Amino acid sequence: MCITANIVAVLLSVLIGPTLGANILCLTPVPSPSHHIWNRAWMEALAARGHNLTIVSADVEQAVIPNMTYIHLEQAYSFLAEALDLDEMANANAFGGARSVYAWGFGMCKGVLSSRGMGQIMSYPDSFRVDLVVADVTLGPCMFGLLRKFGNPPVVGVTAYNNPSFTTDFVGGHKHPSYVPYVMLNYDHDMSFFERMYNYIVYSYDH
């Protein structure tokens, strides 16, 4: 279940302490204005609490906000047109929806890794202190290579999306198909036998 942006901000503030300002690296590469609006809420809340945020993002704010430094992934949107058909995604069944999400992720990563902004954050000294990384994991761990550069700090994964199927592959947990519906299916946990079987087939296709 998606956690609201305000709850995320509160949890992070409790985690890193309400009185000591932390250096937080925010990785928000998802090329989506609506995702940026959601992420901006918890980032501004953390900055208002005195934490210093370095934000590597597909979208940036023009207004200068104290404690927030944006690094623009200016190519993050560039490859979406060739990677993703939004009309097809909107009308696809679960199998087509799975293909579309991965296409979106591959297009994002291609743009992110070719951005000057990626080179900019990579040019930061390895000694740059990062106390915490908050990463939008909606489309996978495309930018997790930065973790080693900054000494493998703790990571909090967030997403405005409804429970991506692949998050268990890199953050643990489980999504057992007998009672956890695939994200593209309009099921709840109380599935019939045939719905469970179809759910299992879609999960197997995804992986």
Side-chain angles (χ1 to χ4, degrees):
M1 180 176 65
C2 254
I3 303 176
T4 66
N6 285 336
I7 293 176
V8 169
V10 171
L11 289 175
L12 293 175
S13 294
V14 170
L15 176 65
I16 58 184
T19 58
L20 298 177
N23 287 334
I24 305 174
L25 177 63
C26 303
L27 306 178
T28 59
V30 179
S32 166
S34 61
H35 281 256
H36 175 64
I37 292 169
W38 187 87
N39 286 321
R40 186 180 62 201
W42 58 260
M43 290 190 295
E44 290 183 353
L46 287 173
R49 287 170 169 81
H51 303 296
N52 180 49
L53 277 61
T54 301
I55 305 162
V56 188
S57 179
D59 295 272
V60 299
E61 296 295 314
Q62 298 304 315
V64 176
I65 302 175
N67 299 329
M68 297 176 70
T69 300
Y70 276 97
I71 296 175
H72 191 199
L73 298 169
E74 79 287 344
Q75 296 295 324
Y77 285 87
S78 299
F79 298 95
L80 291 189
E82 67 182 54
L84 183 64
D85 186 326
L86 292 177
D87 290 332
E88 179 182 348
M89 184 178 183
N91 297 298
N93 59 20
F95 299 100
R99 291 193 300 271
S100 293
V101 169
Y102 283 106
W104 186 17
F106 283 123
M108 177 197 76
C109 285
K110 187 175 180 180
V112 163
L113 297 177
S114 63
S115 291
R116 291 189 300 274
M118 192 65 181
Q120 184 178 345
I121 188 63
M122 287 296 295
S123 69
Y124 273 43
D126 294 348
S127 58
F128 180 76
R129 184 168 66 87
V130 174
D131 301 307
L132 178 72
V133 173
V134 184
D136 186 334
V137 297
T138 301
L139 296 176
C142 183
M143 301 186 70
F144 276 20
L146 290 171
L147 301 181
R148 183 174 181 181
K149 173 177 176 60
F150 295 116
N152 294 307
V155 181
V156 174
V158 298
T159 179
Y161 186 55
N162 181 22
N163 202 13
S165 62
F166 42 77
T167 52
T168 55
D169 296 334
F170 57 91
V171 298
H174 78 282
K175 289 187 173 67
H176 200 289
S178 66
Y179 59 89
V180 179
Y182 186 74
V183 64
M184 294 290 178
L185 293 175
N186 190 26
Y187 296 163
D188 61 21
H189 67 279
D190 187 18
M191 293 179 280
S192 69
F193 172 78
F194 291 105
E195 287 173 338
R196 293 174 198 272
M197 184 171 64
Y198 185 63
N199 194 50
Y200 171 77
I201 292 170
V202 176
Y203 266 113
S204 298
Y205 176 80
D206 181 285
H207 283 75

